[in-house]
Amino acid sequence: MQAVFPTPTDVAFLARPGRPAVVARTLAELAGPTRGVVELPVRLMWNAERTFDLGDPDQLLWMYENVLRETTRADDLRALINGRTLRRVWRLLNLPRGVRQAWESRHRGLRAA
């Protein structure tokens, strides 16, 4: 039996140990809200306070960080994250290294954002 070792392109970037980061194919498909109040599902935010006012810059960052870190579904990204907003706040987000690397590897424009 021959051993198979993953190449660098086979290795997923991890959001946390054992779970790959989920990345949208394009930023244009991210059509989430840009204003108002958003309530995250329990699978993305376990805290009892899961609502975020997108008009508050700190709450917007906190919501984006949670969604990008916790999601296992591309549908969550499309419904909750806005591509233009993501580009605008990218450098301000406190993300695990694996999440940031996964997104910047697919969307090189985020590196310069």
Side-chain angles (χ1 to χ4, degrees), residues 31-49:
T34 57
R35 62 179 165 263
V37 175
V38 174
E39 183 173 355
L40 294 183
V42 174
R43 72 178 178 280
L44 297 178
M45 182 74 170
W46 306 297
N47 193 322
E49 304 225 3

Side-chain angles (χ1 to χ4, degrees), residues 11-34:
V11 177
F13 295 107
L14 300 179
R16 63 175 53 182
R19 188 171 66 191
V22 178
V23 178
R25 282 175 278 156
T26 69
L27 295 180
E29 74 185 273
L30 302 176
T34 57

Side-chain angles (χ1 to χ4, degrees), residues 43-63:
R43 72 178 178 280
L44 297 178
M45 182 74 170
W46 306 297
N47 193 322
E49 304 225 3
R50 298 185 321 270
T51 58
F52 299 86
D53 179 353
L54 300 182
D56 179 324
D58 291 332
Q59 288 188 33
L60 175 105
L61 293 175
W62 182 231
M63 186 193 97

Side-chain angles (χ1 to χ4, degrees), residues 44-84:
L44 297 178
M45 182 74 170
W46 306 297
N47 193 322
E49 304 225 3
R50 298 185 321 270
T51 58
F52 299 86
D53 179 353
L54 300 182
D56 179 324
D58 291 332
Q59 288 188 33
L60 175 105
L61 293 175
W62 182 231
M63 186 193 97
Y64 272 44
E65 290 165 357
N66 278 282
V67 172
L68 293 171
R69 183 181 58 246
E70 300 300 332
T71 192
T72 58
R73 307 172 182 184
D75 287 342
D76 287 336
L77 297 173
R78 288 188 285 272
L80 297 166
I81 302 293
N82 179 276
R84 285 180 157 208

